[in-house]
Amino acid sequence: MSNLNLVHNDSQYPGSHEDYYTQLSERIANHTARIAVIGQGYVGLPLAAEFCHAGFRVTGIDIDKERVRTLNRGVSLTPDVSDTTLLALRTAGYYEASWDFSVLKSSDVILICVPTPLRKSKDPDISYVLATVEQVVKHLCPGQLIILESTTYPGTTEELLLPMFEARAYVAGEDVFVAFSPERIDPGNKQFTVKDIPKITGGVTPACTRLAALFYRQIVSKVVEVSSPRVAELAKLYENVFRSVNIALANEFSLMCRQLGVSSREVIDAAASKPFGFMPFYPGPGIGGHCIPIDPAYLAWKMKFSNYQARFIPLAEEINQSMPGHVVDLVSEALNARKRCLNGANVLAIGVAYKRGVGDIRESPALQIMDSLMKLGVNISYSDPHVAKIVLGGKDFSSVEVDATVIKATDCVLILTDHQEFDYQAMLVHASLIVDTRGATRALTGGNAQIISL
Ligand SMILES: NC(=O)c1ccc[n+]([C@@H]2O[C@H](COP(=O)([O-])OP(=O)(O)OC[C@H]3O[C@@H](n4cnc5c(N)ncnc54)[C@H](O)[C@@H]3O)[C@@H](O)[C@H]2O)c1
């Protein structure tokens, strides 16, 4: 990995704008370009691994030193890159993690994949992106391509990043190339991984777009070039607003179906038989993760500067955020019907991750539901093959193994995340009451359990 230590210098990049463009294009096309991916989480690590697979040498930069040490031992921290794969890439010299930003000096392409959460006030917290770009600017060299991948509000690339480069007298499209390309992965999804998902690229200038597109074509078969970073930023937000609104619609629909004594899932499946013009979304206990509960607020926040009050976004948020409370009500009503109260009841939560197949508990509605039940006096326990421990209300909880004895000792089995590792048939056989928020037991028969479904 000796070439990771090279530093840009005049002999490497001899000067004119065309030279910068041509030389970087060549280095990308012949896979000798050195890549730095800043942020080695759910997004940055799989992306880094994909470029390594294509034959590029990649440094994954992260401020979390423990994460860097772990990655350098070949231990992956995301479901999309196995330990075996990471170790192989390490051993072959394609991948290295580091907390030393000076490696940026020797990088041709810099990708930014750091968190973009919300502040308590629900305004965008862009501080991670800012801190990262400050490091990039500090080590900026002529001829580099910098691409922001973090989900963010429209205008971030041109209003926030670009002026920071221009303040150092760099001209985008001439001696530095700047673009936005949203990451669209779905962690844990084996069918669509980084290489299967088209990349949208919007550069600050046409040359920036072309270079970014050429870069991503090395790992994906389809690149969608758009006219500006703003279009690319908005495309990502629109995708996630679309999901949030449609999930909210399914959630509200399930509340209406409950009043009418009908299974919302049966209705949605029947509607989904239409071969055009319909896409099924299903109700659930609420929304979680680092995207759907957060990204729409980035767009709504930005629109306030144009005196425009978004309407679908807050309505969807309101409905989706009411779902954890609705699940608590379902458990309470089901126990009440058995002359049991919540106080003192044993409830086993099945799954705490925000979705199937991952160990990510960020914004997970399961935590909110368990916390509410605990405050109402429930003896809560949980099982999740992907989440060994959680802290709830200042108390430590460890995942329990689910077997017949554990199920029989519980007053209510509460299915919150439908991981495939669980034996739902055994739950049907051994439980007396199941509240199923994911439709995990829908296709099953047998057993004596009473099932309450969303
Ligand atoms: N998780 C997803 O499913 C997903 C999908 C598509 C897009 N995104 C977007 O991608 C971005 C990253 O999300 P993620 O899920 O990978 O987050 P993550 O928390 O899993 O990873 C982010 C990493 O960045 C590191 N980091 C923070 N500040 C840093 C800094 N200044 N310099 C270097 N490293 C720093 C953190 O230590 C962490 O390891 C977000 O904008 C998110 O909205 C996430």
Side-chain angles (χ1 to χ4, degrees), residues 67-345:
R67 178 173 288 258
V68 167
R69 286 189 201 100
T70 308
L71 293 174
N72 277 338
R73 284 201 310 273
V75 177
S76 168
L77 297 161
T78 77
D80 298 337
V81 180
S82 70
D83 291 354
T84 318
T85 299
L86 186 60
L87 196 60
L89 295 175
R90 282 284 296 135
T91 312
Y94 285 106
Y95 178 81
E96 186 175 41
S98 173
W99 56 76
D100 181 3
F101 282 86
S102 69
V103 80
L104 294 179
K105 278 200 179 80
S106 57
S107 304
D108 298 293
V109 184
I110 300 169
L111 304 178
I112 301 172
C113 308
V114 295
T116 43
L118 292 175
R119 296 187 187 284
K120 281 210 174 85
S121 59
K122 298 265 177 190
D123 288 347
D125 178 357
I126 211 75
S127 61
Y128 299 86
V129 172
L130 264 179
T132 308
V133 179
E134 274 163 15
Q135 288 292 340
V136 173
V137 168
K138 197 167 149 193
H139 300 286
L140 200 60
C141 297
Q144 288 180 323
L145 169 63
I146 295 110
I147 307 175
L148 179 61
E149 289 230 3
S150 300
T151 308
T152 185
Y153 61 82
T156 307
T157 310
E158 284 159 303
E159 293 164 10
L160 198 78
L161 270 62
L162 196 56
M164 291 170 77
F165 299 131
E166 288 171 343
R168 292 274 310 272
Y170 280 90
V171 179
E174 295 192 355
D175 49 14
V176 71
F177 304 92
V178 183
F180 182 82
S181 179
E183 185 48 69
R184 306 158 91 193
I185 56 158
D186 176 19
N189 187 329
K190 304 272 179 253
Q191 192 186 354
F192 298 105
T193 62
V194 175
K195 65 177 183 333
D196 310 306
I197 306 168
K199 273 305 249 168
I200 299 172
T201 52
V204 164
T205 69
C208 298
T209 306
R210 279 198 304 276
L211 262 184
L214 173 71
F215 176 65
Y216 287 116
R217 273 194 201 100
Q218 310 308 310
I219 59 161
V220 298
S221 51
K222 185 164 182 190
V223 175
V224 180
E225 295 180 38
V226 295
S227 60
S228 67
R230 211 173 286 256
V231 172
E233 289 159 345
L234 275 165
K236 171 71 188 183
L237 292 180
Y238 188 58
E239 285 168 18
N240 283 352
V241 169
F242 175 84
R243 282 191 65 75
S244 173
V245 167
N246 279 287
I247 292 168
L249 179 62
N251 281 334
E252 192 188 25
F253 188 65
S254 83
L255 302 183
M256 295 193 279
C257 283
R258 190 167 166 72
Q259 299 286 329
L260 299 170
V262 172
S263 157
S264 58
R265 285 175 191 272
E266 190 181 353
V267 178
I268 293 166
D269 282 345
S273 63
K274 187 177 180 181
F276 56 90
F278 186 83
M279 183 189 283
F281 283 81
Y282 294 92
I287 50 174
H290 190 31
C291 293
I292 313 295
I294 292 170
D295 302 348
Y298 269 66
L299 178 56
W301 174 83
K302 181 68 179 178
M303 293 318 299
K304 286 186 196 158
F305 292 91
S306 304
N307 272 329
Y308 186 90
Q309 184 70 44
R311 287 167 285 171
F312 271 113
I313 291 172
L315 179 61
E317 187 189 355
E318 185 192 323
I319 294 170
N320 290 332
Q321 286 190 351
S322 73
M323 293 312 286
H326 176 62
V327 172
V328 171
D329 290 346
L330 286 182
V331 175
S332 170
E333 284 164 22
L335 287 170
N336 189 50
R338 300 171 160 239
K339 303 195 184 341
R340 293 276 338 236
C341 65
L342 285 175
N343 199 347

Side-chain angles (χ1 to χ4, degrees), residues 13 46-47 55 57 107 126 140 198 205 251 268 312 338 358 400 408 412 416 433 454:
Y13 283 95
L47 193 62
R57 293 182 188 271
S107 304
I126 211 75
L140 200 60
T205 69
N251 281 334
I268 293 166
F312 271 113
R338 300 171 160 239
V358 298
V400 298
K408 280 179 187 161
C412 174
L416 296 174
L433 171 66
L454 261 185

